Amino acid sequence: GESVGLHLPTLSVQEGDNSIINCAYSNSASDYFIWYKQESGKGPQFIIDIRSNMDKRQGQRVTVLLNKTVKHLSLQIAATQPGDSAVYFCAENTQGGGQAGTALIFGKGTTLSVSS
Amino acid sequence: ETGVTQSPTHLIKTRGQQVTLRCSSQSGHNTVSWYQQALGQGPQFIFQYYREEENGRGNFPPRFSGLQFPNYSSELNVNALELDDSALYLCASSRDGGNEKLFFGSGTQLSVL
């Protein structure tokens, strides 16, 4: 599968490959993270979230890994499909996502292109 | 369960005008947050409304204001529009003032000419 060590704005993969999208977050106090998928002309769509008391969380075809030591988050998509083509954003928050009035801070997006 | 809905989907205004954007929160959600997304960028937090009051604000000038109604729906108002206000405006809803599992609407694309 295709993977990147540092954030890259674009990632191109073949259908069926595994994709890994990386994100570096900025605030060492952040303890809640969300991955979003955004298709052209649409709002961000919730994919998966993770709290800082976990290193890994799995969903349907997706896995999020969290490395708090280096403030790094990754999203792994298994058996990537053309419908996965979109811009992917990571977002961070403090207080476990429960603090009223705080913002989700979004990272730089990665455009995933899947060719068949 | 109904999702977050926004209206209108597209809007064209001229510089100096005022605009009102509307949002209905997801069923069961009592908190609405507004974000601005410029082309090619990630969303940026404008403010949050909870219990019908502004409850946290990002780095946006006072000409960006809002309201929340008893049914938890919300409005975003922007006065004295500037060209740089052209962006996708996103509404997101959640429970009890937090950001857990924040769900977004499809947005309003505002063009300022």
Side-chain angles (χ1 to χ4, degrees):
Chain A
E2 184 79 26
S3 70
V4 291
L6 298 174
H7 171 263
L8 291 179
T10 61
L11 176 63
S12 297
V13 301
Q14 292 286 322
E15 182 178 2
D17 282 355
N18 296 327
S19 303
I20 300 176
I21 301 171
N22 294 306
C23 175
Y25 62 93
S26 55
N27 187 352
S28 56
S30 292
D31 58 6
Y32 179 67
F33 306 89
I34 305 177
W35 278 101
Y36 286 96
K37 171 187 180 184
Q38 188 172 26
E39 296 173 284
S40 181
K42 297 185 178 180
Q45 176 188 351
F46 177 94
I47 301 173
I48 192 168
D49 60 353
I50 188 168
R51 298 184 186 281
S52 60
N53 60 351
M54 302 174 71
D55 296 325
K56 178 180 179 179
R57 190 167 186 218
Q58 289 183 294
Q60 188 175 16
R61 278 201 309 120
V62 296
T63 301
V64 55
L65 298 178
L66 175 62
N67 185 331
K68 295 178 286 294
T69 303
V70 294
K71 295 192 290 187
H72 182 267
L73 197 66
S74 68
L75 177 71
Q76 300 178 2
I77 304 174
T80 314
Q81 302 168 359
D84 294 326
S85 295
V87 179
Y88 289 80
F89 291 98
C90 65
E92 60 185 291
N93 191 226
T94 56
Q95 305 289 330
Q99 177 66 38
T102 60
L104 279 184
I105 306 301
F106 283 79
K108 297 176 183 178
T110 294
T111 300
L112 176 65
S113 298
V114 183
S115 53
S116 53
Chain B
E1 187 177 88
T2 56
V4 179
T5 58
Q6 293 186 243
S7 64
T9 55
H10 295 83
L11 204 51
I12 300 174
K13 291 286 188 178
T14 56
R15 195 170 45 181
Q17 284 189 312
Q18 178 266 342
V19 69
T20 297
L21 310 181
R22 295 178 174 82
C23 171
S24 294
S25 62
Q26 180 167 311
S27 176
H29 286 184
N30 57 12
T31 302
V32 171
S33 299
W34 287 92
Y35 285 76
Q36 181 196 64
Q37 187 176 23
L39 191 63
Q41 305 294 318
Q44 286 200 303
F45 177 68
I46 303 175
F47 43 52
Q48 181 190 82
Y49 275 83
Y50 175 49
R51 294 177 176 171
E52 299 178 48
E53 291 186 355
E54 186 180 293
N55 184 44
R57 188 180 185 94
N59 189 26
F60 281 83
R63 59 190 185 83
F64 285 77
S65 63
L67 287 172
Q68 186 180 33
F69 300 99
N71 66 352
Y72 310 129
S73 66
S74 177
E75 287 182 355
L76 165 65
N77 299 291
V78 187
N79 293 323
L81 283 167
E82 301 177 0
L83 297 179
D84 285 349
D85 295 333
S86 295
L88 180 66
Y89 288 85
L90 296 162
C91 170
S93 73
S94 58
R95 290 191 176 98
D96 301 330
N99 286 297
E100 188 174 352
K101 290 182 170 54
L102 199 65
F103 288 98
F104 284 84
S106 291
T108 294
Q109 184 64 55
L110 174 64
S111 298
V112 182
L113 306 178

